[in-house]
Each structure stands twice: as structure tokens, then as C-alpha cells.
Amino acid sequence: MKKRVLSGMQSTGKLHIGNYHGALEHWVRLQDDYTCYFFVANYHSLTTLYQNSKEVYENSFQVAIDFLAAGIDPGKSVLFIQSLVPEHTELHLLLSMFTPISWLERVPSYKEKISNIEFADLTTYGFLGYPVLQTADIILYDAHFVPVGEDQLPHLELAREIARRVNHYYGDIFIEPAPLLTPFSRIPGIDGRKMSKSYDNAIFLGDSDEQIKSRIMNAITDPARIKKSDPGHPEVCNIFAYHRIYSSDILSQIESECRTGKRGCVDCKKECFRNLTTALSPVRERRFRIENQKDYIKDILREGSKKASYYASGVLNRLREKMGIMF
Ligand code: TRP
């Protein structure tokens, strides 16, 4: 019997190469060895964007398209939308009864947002309960493993605690999920800050060749390097960070040519563009092929959500029966 894996992403909009190398690429590789559930966490996005549901709707589509483009295969894995599987909302409610408020108030992502004046409108019931919903997402599928980045570890720990608490009162209903740490991907934006849609420094899987080229040609390299003959410092260069991923076979050559002033940034960027687009061509071609086929995407999501619901309702029934709410 294969072990079970579940992971999700919020509906942030089109995904970039940081999302790809930091998550999707690893998810795709898990598909043969595990029974996988992957989903778009649109309710989680509504906890912060509740005033703007239209944006969350459009963004959910884009995330689903990028999942498919990356190689999440609906023939192997269950791909679904959180809001199409009502079991998530019901389990969220039931788990909320077991979850002490103090456990939620000490979650780092909550403390951080709530202490920041900018997010004053996030002192909501729903936002406090974000990790309860995430716990429901995970334990509804008897997930053994949850591939996540380091930032999600406190949420995973809380999920284990909540599962344990329910199991303590009602017997072994839920599996305590373990994190499957995805290797940290240090892929900076073109300006050297963390790659992020909101910094306008990202390269998206759905960008055209021209967009990618202009991003790369405008990227900040080694600021100390004015002339081509100046010795470069690859360790501070954003383009070199991309070469690490896309030009690994000639990395030491690039590095020494840069350090000795034999390689100019313009040529180096052109090579980076070529290697990046070559490496990502299967993903980008798939994206261009499906991105306008909304009906096809909707069919996949509805089909996946039905399968998810079928499994989740079995798990939820174990708790419903124990809690005396079935008449
Ligand atoms: N909180 C996760 C993030 O921001 C998204 C998420 C929601 C998730 N539910 C999940 C991740 C369940 C893993 C498992 O990235």
C-alpha cells in the first residue's frame, strides 16, 4: 500500500519559477511513489482577501493551470479545489471545538500579521482559524506526509497536536501527519529580494519569451562590476543564482569566466535566458496549450474534487459517528 501525500497552495495567482522549484517540481516527483492529493486552497486565500472574492476566483484558476503545466497528472493524483469539497468546512467546524484559542494565538504567521498595523482588518475569526482549516485539509485524507517549506512547520506541528487531541477523546480517528521538507530553494527575484508577485521581480511560468528576456536583461548582477574586464563576484549575482539551476553542467566554467573578467554580463544573461527557456520548455508549452481551455480545466477540477470528497467523507464519517451527530 502506498503512503499518502497531501499538499496545497493558496490562490495567489500565476505561479513563478520560485514556486516551481520550491514546491511543484518536488510534488510532481512524488506522484509515482505515493497516493497524492494536491489542491488549491481558495478558502485560505479568502481568510485574507474576503473583500475580493473575484480576484481569488481568477487566481485559483491560474494556480490550477500551473499545477497541470508543472506536471501534476490528474491520471495519477487527485487535483481539486478546496471549496468544491464541503468536508473541509465541516471538519473545520468540528476541529474548532477541540482547538484552544491559545494554540492559535501563538502561531508565528498569526502573531506576525496581527502585530502589523497594515493588517488591522485581519483580526477576524476566520484568520485566527487558518491553521484549523489547514489541519482539516490534511487529516481528511489520512495524509502521512505533507510536502511543505520550512515556513509551514508550525502549521504542521499544530495539525499534529489537534489530531492527537481528537484521538485522545475519541480513539484513533486521524493519522498524525509528518512534514516532508522540500529542499530550500534560494531563487532570488531579478532585484535580489525574495521572488514575489508583489515585488514585481518574478519570472512566471506563464510569461512569454519576450517577458522573460526583458526580466533577465534587466536583472541586477554584480553591482561592483562596471566594465566587462572587471572581475565578477558570482556569489552576489542574481543571474548566477539562475545559472545554478539552469546551467549546472557548465557552472564552473561560467564562474571562472566571470571571476576573471572574460565573460560579460550581457552575454551571460543571454545564455541564462536560453538555458532557462530550454529547461522550462515542457512546462511552459503545456501551459500555453491549456491556459485558455477553461472548460477542460473545470472538468478536471470537478472530477478531482468528486474523488477527494469521496475519500474525505469516509474519514469524516469516522468522527461524525463518534461525536453523536448522525441521526
Ligand atoms: N498554508 C499553506 C501556504 O500558505 C497552504 C495550505 C493550506 C496547505 N492548506 C494546506 C499546505 C494543507 C499544505 C497542506 O503555503
Side-chain angles (χ1 to χ4, degrees):
M1 270 289 270
K2 285 183 183 170
K3 296 254 181 180
R4 311 170 61 83
V5 155
L6 171 132
S7 200
M9 244 187 239
Q10 286 203 54
S11 328
T12 47
K14 288 189 179 176
L15 300 181
H16 52 63
I17 58 174
N19 301 125
Y20 180 70
H21 296 296
L24 287 179
E25 178 182 40
H26 306 287
W27 296 5
V28 167
R29 276 201 243 108
L30 296 170
Q31 296 185 104
D32 291 320
D33 299 330
Y34 298 92
T35 301
C36 293
Y37 288 79
F38 298 116
F39 74 103
V40 182
N42 58 335
Y43 278 143
H44 280 98
S45 294
L46 284 169
T47 63
T48 49
L49 287 174
Y50 52 88
Q51 310 99 320
N52 210 344
S53 58
K54 187 150 187 290
E55 185 183 327
V56 175
Y57 176 82
E58 286 304 328
N59 287 350
S60 303
F61 250 115
Q62 295 305 322
V63 172
I65 292 169
D66 282 321
F67 279 14
L68 291 166
I72 300 295
D73 178 350
K76 291 180 183 167
S77 303
V78 180
L79 171 59
F80 68 98
I81 297 268
Q82 191 181 31
S83 64
L84 290 187
V85 184
E87 285 76 12
H88 291 243
T89 54
E90 182 174 340
L91 185 58
H92 171 250
L93 176 87
L94 293 175
L95 296 181
S96 76
M97 317 215 172
F98 291 83
T99 311
I101 292 175
S102 60
W103 290 9
L104 299 175
E105 284 173 336
R106 62 169 193 249
V107 170
S109 55
Y110 179 78
K111 281 204 301 201
E112 201 182 290
K113 280 248 165 73
I114 257 1
S115 63
N116 188 333
I117 278 294
E118 214 188 310
F119 300 109
D121 51 356
L122 281 189
T123 51
T124 59
Y125 182 48
F127 187 62
L128 181 65
Y130 182 112
V132 183
L133 182 58
Q134 182 161 349
T135 302
D137 298 338
I138 297 166
I139 64 181
L140 265 178
Y141 300 92
D142 292 328
H144 301 93
F145 298 111
V146 185
V148 283
E150 215 156 24
D151 62 312
Q152 294 296 313
L153 291 182
H155 289 154
L156 252 289
E157 191 48 45
L158 191 74
R160 298 168 64 84
E161 275 170 328
I162 296 174
R164 206 175 302 144
R165 191 162 160 113
V166 178
N167 288 345
H168 172 77
Y169 290 116
Y170 290 106
D172 282 336
I173 297 180
F174 295 118
I175 290 181
E176 280 182 39
L180 198 63
L181 253 196
T182 41
F184 181 63
S185 146
R186 184 180 286 286
I187 180 154
I190 55 161
D191 59 359
R193 291 187 291 173
K194 182 181 151 66
M195 186 172 284
S196 160
K197 186 181 166 187
S198 46
Y199 292 156
D200 192 27
N201 65 359
I203 294 171
F204 294 95
L205 299 176
D207 278 348
S208 65
D209 282 353
E210 294 69 37
Q211 285 169 314
I212 296 182
K213 192 163 209 169
S214 119
R215 286 285 178 195
I216 289 183
M217 297 317 284
N218 287 315
I220 296 173
T221 56
D222 173 3
R225 205 165 176 217
I226 315 286
K227 300 193 299 302
K228 180 180 166 189
S229 55
D230 293 339
H233 304 86
E235 64 280 4
V236 301
C237 176
N238 299 314
I239 291 296
F240 190 73
Y242 301 163
H243 277 308
R244 279 185 201 283
I245 298 177
Y246 303 113
S247 316
S248 53
D249 48 334
I250 48 162
L251 198 64
S252 52
Q253 183 193 340
I254 294 176
E255 176 166 9
S256 76
E257 287 175 6
C258 173
R259 283 194 197 284
T260 52
K262 290 196 189 102
R263 158 182 288 259
C265 289
V266 172
D267 288 339
C268 190
K269 283 175 164 178
K270 284 187 185 153
E271 182 165 26
C272 178
F273 168 75
R274 280 196 304 274
N275 295 350
L276 181 150
T277 46
T278 304
L280 291 179
S281 67
V283 174
R284 294 178 63 230
E285 278 164 21
R286 218 172 304 146
R287 199 186 204 285
F288 297 139
R289 214 166 40 241
I290 62 174
E291 65 189 358
N292 293 318
Q293 303 184 32
K294 286 245 157 127
D295 289 336
Y296 165 76
I297 311 268
K298 276 191 195 177
D299 280 348
I300 289 177
L301 295 174
R302 288 182 185 147
E303 205 49 46
S305 300
K306 242 188 257 167
K307 283 189 203 155
S309 180
Y310 179 78
Y311 193 89
S313 62
V315 175
L316 185 56
N317 276 336
R318 305 201 297 245
L319 182 63
R320 284 177 177 144
E321 271 161 26
K322 289 278 172 76
M323 288 192 77
I325 58 173
M326 304 285 274
F327 290 90

